[in-house]
Amino acid sequence: MKKTIISIAFSLIIGWTIAGNDLIPAETPVQTITLKGKVVDFNSGESLTGVEVAIEGSTIKTYTDFDGNFEIKDVKPGNYNLVASYISYNNSLVENFTAADTDNNVEIKLQSSN
């Protein structure tokens, strides 16, 4: 009799645990976007290759391509500070750049430190 009660209790606990998992709502996937932009020389407007573009306060960074373009993928919508740094140029900070669902392009102008 004691074994029967224990096995019934154990079965109920297992059943509630399994049934309870069906009641937990699945997490909604977080929507992400891609930040895009271009880095150019402040004076000449020429594209700069190999510029580091980072989201301030994070480890997320990328580098510009041969045309000065960059992309940072899988970013949550919100406001970010972008920092661009390049050898022999002053760092540039774009404050409170709004990353939204559309039109996430930014042009960053770097001024030579010479």
Side-chain angles (χ1 to χ4, degrees):
M1 179 76 162
K2 195 174 191 180
K3 289 182 181 179
T4 306
I5 293 173
I6 291 175
S7 61
I8 290 172
F10 183 73
S11 297
L12 288 173
I13 291 170
I14 296 296
W16 282 324
T17 303
I18 293 170
N21 288 339
D22 292 339
L23 299 175
I24 298 172
E27 288 189 34
T28 306
V30 177
Q31 179 186 2
T32 59
I33 57 171
T34 300
L35 293 177
K36 297 178 184 179
K38 185 170 190 161
V39 181
V40 297
D41 182 273
F42 183 82
N43 295 319
S44 69
E46 290 183 34
S47 301
L48 297 174
T49 302
V51 177
E52 179 183 277
V53 180
I55 296 177
E56 188 177 54
S58 77
T59 59
I60 300 170
K61 64 182 173 182
T62 191
Y63 295 89
T64 58
D65 63 14
F66 289 111
D67 297 320
N69 299 312
F70 69 90
E71 286 187 356
I72 302 176
K73 296 182 180 183
D74 299 326
V75 177
K76 294 178 186 175
N79 291 334
Y80 296 97
N81 293 337
L82 301 176
V83 179
S85 56
Y86 195 50
I87 296 172
S88 76
Y89 280 81
N90 296 323
N91 288 355
S92 180
L93 174 65
V94 178
E95 293 183 296
N96 290 320
F97 176 71
T98 301
D101 294 337
T102 58
D103 196 28
N104 295 306
N105 290 316
V106 62
E107 183 177 74
I108 301 173
K109 296 182 179 184
L110 291 182
Q111 193 165 19
S112 176
S113 59
N114 297 333

